[in-house]
Structure formats: C-alpha cells, structure tokens
Amino acid sequence: MPLLVMKFGGTSVADLGRIANAAEKVRREVERGYDVIVIVSAMSGKTNELVGWVETTSPLYDAREYDAVVASGENVTAGLMALRLQEMDIPARSWQGWQVPINTTSAHSAARFVSIPRGNIDAKFAEGFKVAVVAGFQGVSEEGRITTLGRGGSDTTAVAFAAAFGAERCDIYTDVDGIYTTDPRISGKARKLDRIAFEEMLELASLGAKVLQTRSVELAMRYNVRLRVLSSFEDTDNNSGTLVCAEEDIVESKVVSGVAYSRDEAKITLFTIEDRPGVASSIFGALSEAGVNVDMIVQNISEKNYDAAHPGAVTDMTFSCPVNQVARAQKALEDAQAAGAIAYDELIIDTDVCKVSVVGIGMRSHTGVAARMFKALSAENVNIKVIATSEIKISVLIDRKYMELAVQALHDTFGLESAS
Ligand code: ADP
Ligand code: ASP
Ligand code: MG
C-alpha cells in the first residue's frame, strides 16, 4: 500500500473544529488509497503554557521532567485525532513516542533520533488500520525517559517517519500556504515559492524562518524525502504549497531567494583580551561548557601583530547568542575570569539586536550581493553591528527596532516580490 505522512502543526489542531478539519484531509488521502501516518503537534499555545508551568515550578528544572511535561501536549492531540478518525469510520489509533518506539539520544529538549523501528506500526497496518496518529516532537531515550526534539520538532518527526517508512511524500500542513520569500507576517509583499532547494531552506530555517525546523530539512535532504509545505485551511486540490527539492529541480534563477530574521539575539563583547594563541579557545570553551549556542563571532584586528617575541598585543572579541542565554553566557565568562582562565577589561552586553539574513544558491556564481545588501540597509539608515557570510547567505546583526524595515528593504532590493 502506498503511504503518506501528513503533519499538522499547532494552529491546524488548535481546537476540536480544526482537528475535524485536519481529519477530513486525512480521509481524502485514505480514500485515494493511501495508508497514512499522521504526525500531530500540541494545540497552539499549549507547549508554551507547559514550558511556563515548568519554569514557574522549578527555574533550574531537571531536564528529564521538563520533557515529561512538555511532551504531553502532543499526546492529547494524538488521542483526539484518532478518536475523530474513528468517528468517521476510519480505522485509526494513536501512538506516543515510547509505543512506536521512537528511540532518541538522551539530550533532553534537544534529542536526536537513533532509530524508528517499523514493526509495531506495520503490524497494525497489516491488521487493517488505515491511519497511525503519532505524537510529534517526542521520543524515548535509552534510559527509558521521555525526550523532546527541540521547539518545532514535530516537523522533524514527520520527515523521520517519511524516511523510515519510505513514504511517497511528507506533507507539512500549517497556517500559511507554503514557503514564502520572507515571513508573510512581516512583509505583505512576500511571494509564495513553488519550489525551494534543500540547501536554501536549510539556511532559511537555521537563520530563523520557523516554517520548518532546521533538522527536518537536514533529514529530508539526507534521505531524499519529498517534502511539501501547504495550508491546512485551504482546499487540498487548489493547494499545492511549496515543494522542497534538489537544486537541479529548480527553474527559477534568482541570486537571492529569501530573507530570514531572528528576533531574539544578543551581542556580547569582551574588551581588551590578550591577542595570543589559546585565548579564543578558552573563551568559547567556557561558553560551550555552559551550553551557550554561540552564533556569529568577530575578533578585531590588533594594532600589533601577534609575535611571540613581543607579547602584550590586545584585541576585542564579539559574539552573538540567543537572548535567553545571555545570563548563562555572562556567568560562564565571569566565572572563567574569576578562575583566571580568561582575562578581559570589560564585558558589554547588548540585548536589543536581531539578525537579518539573505539566502540564495545564486550567490555562489554572483558577486556584489553583500554590497547591494549593505547599500539597501544604509539607505534606510540601519547600522550594521556584525556581519557573517557563507557560500549562500549573508547575515547582519542590527538593532531590533529596525528588523521589519530591514526585511522589507532587502526584499525590495533583491526584487523578490516578482517571479524570476
Ligand atoms: P506550525 O505550528 O504549523 O508548525 P509554525 O508557526 O511553526 O507553524 O510555522 C509557520 C509560520 O512560519 C508561519 O505562520 C510564518 O509566520 C512563519 N514563517 C517564517 N518565515 C516564513 C517563510 N519564509 N515562509 C512561510 N512562513 C514563514
Ligand atoms: N509543540 C512543539 C512546539 O510548539 C513542537 C511542534 O509543534 O513542532 O515547539
Ligand atoms: Mg512549527
């Protein structure tokens, strides 16, 4: 029997009416002859509420209990979806992660898949079940504890199931009708893409476009899963969404294909550090041990070149990290300074910044993209604080108050509103 994976995000299962609407979409595919694995998120807002309860009860919580609480949102929707399908005379049952089992590492709240054995679910399909409703975002560790995959993780559950079960397609149903040139909630000029290359989507996701979790795109690319993003509110037959596919299958040839942003960034500068081998290693070693996700890094050029014969050269180091990790980063650096592992004169923390990025595989073969980007920002009087580039992206850190303005200016500059 051909098999499809259909994933419904939080807004698509936000209440009983929406669950019924999603179940109708599942029915349509069952009537077309598919066995279906449905992956569900928690009802929208539920995961945030559960996280809030954990943090209020125990600010320095035990990560295993965090996962036990936070994973529960998906259990509710999985059971409700199975009930709804049964009411429609479709043989269905729910599966929590441990029942499948979805085996993961024990990195709580950031677990990764180890294996998804097919046996249990295949046996139920063989008995005549048409739909397996699986709770997204969760798994079970080798120690038998409940784990979660990080926010937005149900996308990754969906792609992993599509790979494990050889699904014909993995359809991600959400509250927008596809992947856009930028977040349609930020720019009214955003344009829906028919197709986007894995590499581009990977960059957009990792730079903040939360329409797909980054890891889900990585898995889809690795296992060549046909991944589609589409609206759960529109009629399926006029709703082809966006296909995430190999670069060779893209006809559109823009230099830049999308603009992404990440709102909650922070910038930390260590002033006057020694310029000698081992200093960066001590600073970022301390941050890494504290679990800080460092993103962009800039080291100033010293006035004097490092030279073992003439010690005393100094420099400054700046890096960015998520704003909710600033306290942890500050403590790690201050502790390292107190322990004599690092030395700086001053720590300056800026929590009012955001990151805006342009992404496009066309950048590989075009020059001048950075210059156009910086010109557009300067025309809006937006000051750039940090710059980072890779083969197919350019990111800047700017004041958060300019975020929307910058996204729109870049969208205009690179002509993303119009096709090709
Ligand atoms: P779900 O709950 O279905 O997983 P998410 O809220 O995680 O949905 O992701 C969908 C949201 O992603 C959209 O509502 C949109 O605001 C946002 N988004 C950000 N960037 C983009 C983009 N380039 N294209 C489409 N949506 C985007
Ligand atoms: N419910 C989880 C979250 O809000 C996972 C998901 O929806 O993908 O992050
Ligand atoms: Mg999501």
Side-chain angles (χ1 to χ4, degrees), residues 114-274:
V114 172
S115 66
I116 304 179
R118 294 177 50 156
N120 290 340
I121 289 182
D122 274 345
K124 288 292 166 194
F125 280 136
E127 273 176 36
F129 277 82
K130 298 305 296 174
V131 183
V133 186
V134 178
F137 178 53
Q138 55 173 259
V140 60
S141 71
E142 212 172 88
E143 294 79 26
R145 302 296 303 251
I146 304 298
T147 55
T148 63
L149 308 174
R151 299 304 304 269
S154 298
D155 297 328
T156 305
T157 308
V159 173
F161 271 77
F165 285 78
E168 199 173 292
R169 216 172 51 236
C170 179
D171 283 343
I172 305 284
Y173 286 87
T174 185
D175 56 2
V176 285
D177 61 354
I179 297 163
Y180 279 70
T181 47
T182 193
D183 187 345
R185 293 181 207 289
I186 293 282
S187 169
K189 294 183 183 171
R191 177 173 56 86
K192 186 172 87 72
L193 300 164
D194 291 332
R195 286 165 182 244
I196 185 164
F198 285 124
E199 288 86 346
E200 288 175 325
M201 192 58 231
L202 196 57
E203 287 282 8
L204 286 173
S206 70
L207 295 168
K210 68 170 184 165
V211 61
L212 286 174
Q213 198 196 35
T214 308
R215 182 92 185 109
S216 72
V217 187
E218 263 169 35
L219 283 184
M221 193 162 144
R222 163 126 61 99
Y223 294 102
N224 217 4
V225 170
R226 246 178 111 72
L227 179 62
R228 196 162 70 136
V229 173
L230 66 172
S231 165
S232 66
F233 304 124
E234 282 179 27
D235 198 34
T236 310
D237 290 329
N238 310 315
N239 176 21
S240 52
T242 301
L243 188 69
V244 190
C245 59
E247 199 178 320
E248 304 82 77
D249 301 328
I250 309 269
V251 277
E252 201 172 354
S253 61
K254 288 240 184 230
V255 180
V256 166
S257 40
V259 182
Y261 64 87
S262 164
R263 191 186 302 271
D264 299 313
E265 301 283 321
K267 176 170 78 72
I268 299 183
T269 303
L270 295 98
F271 277 103
T272 326
I273 56 171
E274 279 182 274

Side-chain angles (χ1 to χ4, degrees), residues 27 41 60 103 105 147 157 168 198 205 210 228 260 278 314 378 388:
R27 186 223 297 262
S41 286
L60 292 174
N103 298 310
T105 61
T147 55
T157 308
E168 199 173 292
F198 285 124
K210 68 170 184 165
R228 196 162 70 136
V314 291
S378 91

Side-chain angles (χ1 to χ4, degrees), residues 43-90:
M43 291 174 165
S44 75
K46 192 70 208 173
T47 308
N48 286 345
E49 182 182 48
L50 295 169
V51 170
W53 288 350
V54 169
E55 288 174 347
T56 305
T57 307
S58 172
L60 292 174
Y61 51 77
D62 173 348
R64 293 162 298 191
E65 300 307 342
Y66 169 98
D67 276 357
V69 174
V70 170
S72 67
E74 272 70 12
N75 297 344
V76 175
T77 35
L80 289 171
M81 175 65 83
L83 287 170
R84 180 68 219 161
L85 290 164
Q86 289 172 3
E87 288 297 319
M88 295 157 76
D89 289 327
I90 298 172

Side-chain angles (χ1 to χ4, degrees), residues 246-326:
E247 199 178 320
E248 304 82 77
D249 301 328
I250 309 269
V251 277
E252 201 172 354
S253 61
K254 288 240 184 230
V255 180
V256 166
S257 40
V259 182
Y261 64 87
S262 164
R263 191 186 302 271
D264 299 313
E265 301 283 321
K267 176 170 78 72
I268 299 183
T269 303
L270 295 98
F271 277 103
T272 326
I273 56 171
E274 279 182 274
D275 187 15
R276 61 165 174 80
V279 168
S281 158
S282 308
I283 293 172
F284 294 104
L287 291 165
S288 145
E289 261 170 46
V292 177
N293 294 318
V294 171
D295 179 18
M296 301 157 116
I297 301 176
V298 188
Q299 180 180 312
N300 285 356
I301 300 289
S302 311
E303 279 172 29
K304 300 184 239 174
N305 280 336
Y306 168 76
D307 177 349
H310 302 92
V314 291
T315 185
D316 308 318
M317 185 79 83
T318 298
F319 66 91
S320 68
C321 70
V323 77
N324 62 5
Q325 293 184 356
V326 162

Side-chain angles (χ1 to χ4, degrees), residues 367-385:
T367 53
V369 179
R372 279 170 74 188
M373 177 175 188
F374 303 155
K375 188 171 172 205
L377 294 173
S378 91
E380 299 293 345
N381 238 340
V382 175
N383 190 36
I384 300 170
K385 301 186 164 202

